[in-house]
Short mmCIF file of all heavy atoms in Angstrom, two decimals:
data_model
loop_
_atom_site.label_atom_id
_atom_site.label_comp_id
_atom_site.label_asym_id
_atom_site.label_seq_id
_atom_site.Cartn_x
_atom_site.Cartn_y
_atom_site.Cartn_z
N THR A 72 95.42 302.04 100.88
CA THR A 72 95.65 300.76 100.23
C THR A 72 96.27 299.79 101.22
O THR A 72 97.16 300.19 102.00
CB THR A 72 96.55 300.93 99.03
OG1 THR A 72 95.96 301.86 98.13
CG2 THR A 72 96.79 299.60 98.30
N PRO A 73 95.84 298.51 101.25
CA PRO A 73 96.50 297.53 102.15
C PRO A 73 97.97 297.46 101.83
O PRO A 73 98.40 297.50 100.66
CB PRO A 73 95.77 296.22 101.86
CG PRO A 73 94.44 296.62 101.29
CD PRO A 73 94.70 297.88 100.55
N ALA A 74 98.77 297.31 102.89
CA ALA A 74 100.23 297.31 102.73
C ALA A 74 100.69 296.12 101.92
O ALA A 74 101.64 296.22 101.15
CB ALA A 74 100.93 297.32 104.10
N GLY A 75 99.98 294.97 102.04
CA GLY A 75 100.37 293.79 101.26
C GLY A 75 99.30 293.41 100.27
O GLY A 75 99.01 292.22 100.13
N ALA A 76 98.63 294.37 99.59
CA ALA A 76 97.51 294.08 98.68
C ALA A 76 97.99 293.25 97.51
O ALA A 76 99.09 293.45 97.01
CB ALA A 76 96.90 295.38 98.17
N VAL A 77 97.10 292.32 97.12
CA VAL A 77 97.48 291.41 96.03
C VAL A 77 97.53 292.17 94.72
O VAL A 77 98.44 292.01 93.91
CB VAL A 77 96.48 290.24 95.96
CG1 VAL A 77 96.82 289.34 94.77
CG2 VAL A 77 96.50 289.47 97.25
N ASN A 78 96.55 293.03 94.48
CA ASN A 78 96.44 293.73 93.20
C ASN A 78 97.02 295.15 93.28
O ASN A 78 96.63 296.02 92.51
CB ASN A 78 94.99 293.81 92.75
CG ASN A 78 94.42 292.42 92.49
OD1 ASN A 78 95.15 291.56 91.99
ND2 ASN A 78 93.15 292.23 92.80
N ALA A 79 97.87 295.40 94.23
CA ALA A 79 98.42 296.74 94.36
C ALA A 79 99.33 297.06 93.15
O ALA A 79 99.96 296.16 92.56
CB ALA A 79 99.22 296.89 95.64
N ALA A 80 99.33 298.31 92.80
CA ALA A 80 100.16 298.72 91.66
C ALA A 80 101.66 298.56 92.01
O ALA A 80 102.05 298.70 93.17
CB ALA A 80 99.85 300.16 91.30
N PRO A 81 102.51 298.22 91.04
CA PRO A 81 103.98 298.09 91.30
C PRO A 81 104.58 299.43 91.69
O PRO A 81 104.05 300.49 91.32
CB PRO A 81 104.52 297.58 89.97
CG PRO A 81 103.53 298.05 88.95
CD PRO A 81 102.21 298.02 89.60
N LEU A 82 105.60 299.35 92.46
CA LEU A 82 106.24 300.58 92.93
C LEU A 82 106.93 301.28 91.76
O LEU A 82 107.65 300.65 90.97
CB LEU A 82 107.28 300.26 94.01
CG LEU A 82 106.71 299.78 95.35
CD1 LEU A 82 107.87 299.36 96.28
CD2 LEU A 82 105.87 300.86 95.99
N PRO A 83 106.67 302.57 91.66
CA PRO A 83 107.38 303.29 90.59
C PRO A 83 108.84 303.55 91.03
O PRO A 83 109.18 303.35 92.19
CB PRO A 83 106.56 304.59 90.48
CG PRO A 83 106.00 304.78 91.83
CD PRO A 83 105.78 303.41 92.41
N PRO A 84 109.61 304.01 90.13
CA PRO A 84 110.99 304.41 90.53
C PRO A 84 110.92 305.46 91.64
O PRO A 84 109.95 306.20 91.76
CB PRO A 84 111.57 304.98 89.23
CG PRO A 84 110.74 304.36 88.15
CD PRO A 84 109.38 304.17 88.70
N TYR A 85 111.93 305.43 92.42
CA TYR A 85 111.95 306.33 93.57
C TYR A 85 111.83 307.77 93.11
O TYR A 85 112.55 308.19 92.20
CB TYR A 85 113.25 306.14 94.39
CG TYR A 85 113.31 307.02 95.60
CD1 TYR A 85 112.58 306.72 96.74
CD2 TYR A 85 114.11 308.16 95.60
CE1 TYR A 85 112.64 307.53 97.84
CE2 TYR A 85 114.15 309.00 96.72
CZ TYR A 85 113.40 308.66 97.84
OH TYR A 85 113.44 309.47 98.94
N GLY A 86 110.94 308.47 93.78
CA GLY A 86 110.73 309.87 93.46
C GLY A 86 109.73 310.11 92.37
O GLY A 86 109.43 311.27 92.06
N MET A 87 109.19 309.02 91.71
CA MET A 87 108.23 309.16 90.61
C MET A 87 106.81 308.91 91.13
O MET A 87 106.61 308.14 92.07
CB MET A 87 108.56 308.18 89.48
CG MET A 87 109.92 308.42 88.84
SD MET A 87 110.05 310.01 88.02
CE MET A 87 108.91 309.79 86.70
N PRO A 88 105.85 309.57 90.54
CA PRO A 88 104.45 309.32 90.97
C PRO A 88 104.02 307.89 90.63
O PRO A 88 104.60 307.26 89.73
CB PRO A 88 103.64 310.36 90.20
CG PRO A 88 104.48 310.67 89.01
CD PRO A 88 105.93 310.53 89.43
N PRO A 89 103.08 307.38 91.32
CA PRO A 89 102.63 305.99 91.06
C PRO A 89 101.88 305.91 89.73
O PRO A 89 101.47 306.90 89.16
CB PRO A 89 101.69 305.70 92.23
CG PRO A 89 101.18 307.03 92.64
CD PRO A 89 102.29 308.02 92.37
N TYR A 90 101.72 304.66 89.22
CA TYR A 90 100.96 304.40 88.00
C TYR A 90 99.55 303.90 88.38
O TYR A 90 99.39 302.72 88.72
CB TYR A 90 101.67 303.34 87.14
CG TYR A 90 103.08 303.73 86.76
CD1 TYR A 90 104.18 303.14 87.37
CD2 TYR A 90 103.31 304.69 85.76
CE1 TYR A 90 105.48 303.49 87.03
CE2 TYR A 90 104.62 305.03 85.41
CZ TYR A 90 105.68 304.44 86.04
OH TYR A 90 106.97 304.80 85.70
N PRO A 91 98.61 304.77 88.37
CA PRO A 91 97.26 304.30 88.81
C PRO A 91 96.65 303.29 87.86
O PRO A 91 95.84 302.50 88.24
CB PRO A 91 96.43 305.57 88.85
CG PRO A 91 97.21 306.61 88.13
CD PRO A 91 98.65 306.19 88.04
N TYR A 92 97.16 303.26 86.58
CA TYR A 92 96.57 302.35 85.61
C TYR A 92 97.30 301.03 85.56
O TYR A 92 96.93 300.14 84.82
CB TYR A 92 96.57 303.00 84.22
CG TYR A 92 97.92 303.54 83.83
CD1 TYR A 92 98.89 302.72 83.24
CD2 TYR A 92 98.26 304.87 84.07
CE1 TYR A 92 100.13 303.20 82.90
CE2 TYR A 92 99.51 305.36 83.73
CZ TYR A 92 100.44 304.52 83.13
OH TYR A 92 101.67 305.00 82.78
N ALA A 93 98.39 300.92 86.29
CA ALA A 93 99.16 299.69 86.23
C ALA A 93 98.48 298.60 87.01
O ALA A 93 97.78 298.86 87.98
CB ALA A 93 100.57 299.93 86.75
N ALA A 94 98.67 297.35 86.59
CA ALA A 94 98.05 296.22 87.28
C ALA A 94 98.73 295.98 88.60
O ALA A 94 99.95 296.10 88.72
CB ALA A 94 98.14 294.97 86.40
N SER A 95 97.98 295.69 89.59
CA SER A 95 98.51 295.42 90.93
C SER A 95 99.10 294.03 90.94
O SER A 95 98.61 293.12 90.26
CB SER A 95 97.39 295.52 91.97
OG SER A 95 96.85 296.82 91.96
N PRO A 96 100.19 293.86 91.70
CA PRO A 96 100.78 292.52 91.79
C PRO A 96 99.84 291.55 92.48
O PRO A 96 98.99 291.95 93.25
CB PRO A 96 102.06 292.76 92.61
CG PRO A 96 101.77 293.98 93.41
CD PRO A 96 100.90 294.85 92.54
N VAL A 97 99.96 290.28 92.17
CA VAL A 97 99.12 289.24 92.76
C VAL A 97 99.51 289.06 94.21
O VAL A 97 100.70 288.92 94.53
CB VAL A 97 99.26 287.92 91.99
CG1 VAL A 97 98.45 286.82 92.65
CG2 VAL A 97 98.83 288.10 90.55
N TYR A 98 98.51 289.16 95.04
CA TYR A 98 98.76 289.03 96.48
C TYR A 98 98.90 287.57 96.81
O TYR A 98 98.04 286.75 96.44
CB TYR A 98 97.60 289.65 97.27
CG TYR A 98 97.67 289.38 98.76
CD1 TYR A 98 98.62 289.99 99.56
CD2 TYR A 98 96.79 288.48 99.33
CE1 TYR A 98 98.67 289.73 100.91
CE2 TYR A 98 96.80 288.21 100.68
CZ TYR A 98 97.76 288.84 101.47
OH TYR A 98 97.81 288.58 102.83
N THR A 99 99.98 287.23 97.53
CA THR A 99 100.23 285.86 97.98
C THR A 99 100.07 285.84 99.48
O THR A 99 100.83 286.49 100.20
CB THR A 99 101.65 285.40 97.60
OG1 THR A 99 101.79 285.51 96.18
CG2 THR A 99 101.88 283.96 98.03
N PRO A 100 99.07 285.16 99.96
CA PRO A 100 98.84 285.14 101.41
C PRO A 100 99.96 284.39 102.12
O PRO A 100 100.70 283.62 101.50
CB PRO A 100 97.50 284.42 101.53
CG PRO A 100 97.39 283.58 100.32
CD PRO A 100 98.13 284.32 99.24
N PRO A 101 100.10 284.65 103.40
CA PRO A 101 101.15 283.94 104.16
C PRO A 101 100.90 282.45 104.13
O PRO A 101 99.79 281.98 103.88
CB PRO A 101 101.00 284.50 105.57
CG PRO A 101 100.25 285.80 105.39
CD PRO A 101 99.41 285.64 104.16
N ALA A 102 101.99 281.71 104.39
CA ALA A 102 101.89 280.24 104.33
C ALA A 102 100.98 279.69 105.40
O ALA A 102 100.35 278.65 105.22
CB ALA A 102 103.30 279.62 104.44
N TYR A 103 100.90 280.39 106.51
CA TYR A 103 100.11 279.88 107.63
C TYR A 103 98.62 280.21 107.48
O TYR A 103 97.78 279.73 108.21
CB TYR A 103 100.61 280.43 108.96
CG TYR A 103 100.65 281.94 109.01
CD1 TYR A 103 99.50 282.68 109.33
CD2 TYR A 103 101.82 282.63 108.73
CE1 TYR A 103 99.55 284.06 109.35
CE2 TYR A 103 101.86 284.00 108.74
CZ TYR A 103 100.71 284.73 109.06
OH TYR A 103 100.75 286.07 109.09
N ALA A 104 98.27 281.13 106.58
CA ALA A 104 96.85 281.53 106.43
C ALA A 104 96.08 280.42 105.71
O ALA A 104 96.60 279.80 104.78
CB ALA A 104 96.74 282.83 105.64
N PRO A 105 94.85 280.13 106.12
CA PRO A 105 94.03 279.10 105.44
C PRO A 105 93.68 279.56 104.03
O PRO A 105 93.38 280.72 103.80
CB PRO A 105 92.78 278.98 106.30
CG PRO A 105 92.67 280.28 107.01
CD PRO A 105 94.11 280.76 107.22
N GLN A 106 93.83 278.65 103.09
CA GLN A 106 93.53 278.96 101.71
C GLN A 106 92.02 278.96 101.48
O GLN A 106 91.32 278.02 101.88
CB GLN A 106 94.17 277.92 100.79
CG GLN A 106 95.69 277.93 100.83
CD GLN A 106 96.25 279.23 100.31
OE1 GLN A 106 95.66 279.85 99.41
NE2 GLN A 106 97.40 279.66 100.86
N PRO A 107 91.49 280.00 100.92
CA PRO A 107 90.03 280.01 100.64
C PRO A 107 89.69 279.01 99.55
O PRO A 107 90.53 278.72 98.69
CB PRO A 107 89.77 281.43 100.18
CG PRO A 107 91.06 281.88 99.61
CD PRO A 107 92.15 281.21 100.45
N PRO A 108 88.47 278.43 99.63
CA PRO A 108 88.10 277.45 98.59
C PRO A 108 87.98 278.13 97.24
O PRO A 108 87.64 279.30 97.12
CB PRO A 108 86.73 276.93 99.05
CG PRO A 108 86.19 278.00 99.92
CD PRO A 108 87.38 278.65 100.58
N ALA A 109 88.37 277.37 96.24
CA ALA A 109 88.30 277.91 94.88
C ALA A 109 86.85 278.20 94.53
O ALA A 109 85.94 277.41 94.83
CB ALA A 109 88.90 276.92 93.89
N PRO A 110 86.58 279.34 93.97
CA PRO A 110 85.18 279.66 93.63
C PRO A 110 84.63 278.71 92.57
O PRO A 110 85.34 278.32 91.65
CB PRO A 110 85.27 281.09 93.12
CG PRO A 110 86.66 281.23 92.63
CD PRO A 110 87.52 280.38 93.54
N THR A 111 83.38 278.30 92.82
CA THR A 111 82.69 277.40 91.88
C THR A 111 81.89 278.23 90.90
O THR A 111 81.11 279.12 91.30
CB THR A 111 81.76 276.45 92.63
OG1 THR A 111 82.53 275.73 93.60
CG2 THR A 111 81.09 275.47 91.67
N ALA A 112 82.08 277.99 89.68
CA ALA A 112 81.36 278.75 88.66
C ALA A 112 79.88 278.34 88.65
O ALA A 112 79.56 277.16 88.48
CB ALA A 112 81.97 278.52 87.28
N VAL A 113 79.02 279.29 88.89
CA VAL A 113 77.57 279.04 88.88
C VAL A 113 77.02 279.56 87.56
O VAL A 113 77.14 280.76 87.27
CB VAL A 113 76.87 279.73 90.05
CG1 VAL A 113 75.37 279.48 89.99
CG2 VAL A 113 77.44 279.24 91.37
#
Side-chain angles (χ1 to χ4, degrees):
T72 302
V77 176
N78 297 323
L82 290 174
Y85 181 77
M87 297 297 293
Y90 302 105
Y92 51 85
S95 299
V97 177
Y98 171 72
T99 302
Y103 56 84
Q106 295 295 328
T111 304
V113 179

